[in-house]
Amino acid sequence: QQDCAVTLNGPKAKINCNGNTLSQVAKPPNYADGPFVGGICLNDGATAKYCNVEKFNNGIRVTDGAEVRSSFLTSNNNGIVAVFTEDVTLTIEDTDASSNNNVGLDIGVGNGANAQLIVKGKVTLNSNGLVGMYSVLEANTKLDIAVLNDATLESCGNIVDDISGVVPASATATFSGTRYTCDQAKVVFNGDGGGTVGTVVPPNCQACPVP
């Protein structure tokens, strides 16, 4: 099994799918038996836009920053998986990572990194099988999630939590901006191994739309 169907490295590497769909023959729910683990892998600031990605374990996998724009990541095990080991930024704009088996947006921060997620336009993380947005921070890391003034982040109808994560005592997670739509009761953060929770400035959720 190969790692990624498409791999882009560096800030000058860009793919415009023009609304076409990248898919493979694989069985739900986790799509683990296909020829590729991931659909598109973006490394070190690469960009993907206008891409529809389905039937992969990870629709888009980001390593140390990227831009994801105007894309649909649905019917995967995870929509977007982002790993930060450096002080870099992931920008997501006008993208839908809903209706995946596991998580819409999965973020991991390690190696003492100060990571940033910038949300532009409308980003939707609805109706995923476990969590809309899930973040795991290692010790001595920071994650800043910034929803810009004209942007919205909606995470509703996810089976377990809408926004949750693991923030150990020496880590910090900050949600800035006001236009979050989620179920406040399904915003949950825990410490590492059940220990003390670090510093969390949670989102202030507007109520989810009534189905």
Side-chain angles (χ1 to χ4, degrees):
Q1 193 176 43
Q2 299 182 61
D3 200 21
C4 305
V6 177
T7 300
L8 293 94
N9 298 311
K12 294 184 179 180
K14 301 179 181 182
I15 184 171
N16 183 346
C17 300
N18 291 309
N20 291 301
T21 297
L22 177 64
S23 184
Q24 66 176 349
V25 177
K27 295 179 181 178
N30 56 16
Y31 306 100
D33 61 339
F36 299 98
V37 176
I40 300 175
C41 289
L42 304 174
N43 303 320
D44 302 317
T47 297
K49 61 182 181 180
Y50 300 109
C51 295
N52 304 326
V53 186
E54 63 181 24
K55 298 183 180 179
F56 293 92
N57 188 263
N58 302 316
I60 290 181
R61 192 185 73 198
V62 174
T63 302
D64 287 330
E67 295 185 17
V68 179
R69 297 178 175 174
S70 302
S71 295
F72 289 88
L73 300 312
T74 61
S75 298
N76 300 284
N77 192 39
N78 303 297
I80 301 173
V81 174
V83 176
F84 293 88
T85 62
E86 299 177 358
D87 300 351
V88 291
T89 298
L90 165 62
T91 300
I92 303 178
E93 180 176 2
D94 290 325
T95 289
D96 191 341
S98 300
S99 300
N100 294 286
N101 176 59
N102 192 18
V103 177
L105 173 58
D106 190 325
I107 299 173
V109 186
N111 197 39
N114 294 331
Q116 184 178 44
L117 168 65
I118 294 178
V119 174
K120 296 181 177 181
K122 183 176 182 180
V123 174
T124 307
L125 309 170
N126 293 342
S127 302
N128 292 286
L130 288 180
V131 182
M133 177 191 296
Y134 185 67
S135 307
V136 176
L137 280 64
E138 294 183 1
N140 302 307
T141 62
K142 295 181 180 179
L143 174 62
D144 178 27
I145 297 172
V147 175
L148 300 187
N149 290 338
D150 58 347
T152 61
L153 190 153
E154 181 175 305
S155 184
C156 294
N158 299 285
I159 300 301
V160 178
D161 293 319
D162 285 342
I163 299 174
S164 63
V166 176
V167 182
S170 59
T172 301
T174 302
F175 292 78
S176 60
T178 59
R179 299 181 68 182
Y180 294 86
T181 302
C182 43
D183 182 347
Q184 198 74 52
K186 295 172 75 173
V187 176
V188 180
F189 292 92
N190 298 299
D192 187 18
T196 301
V197 181
T199 301
V200 178
V201 180
N204 184 14
C205 296
Q206 301 176 31
C208 290
V210 177

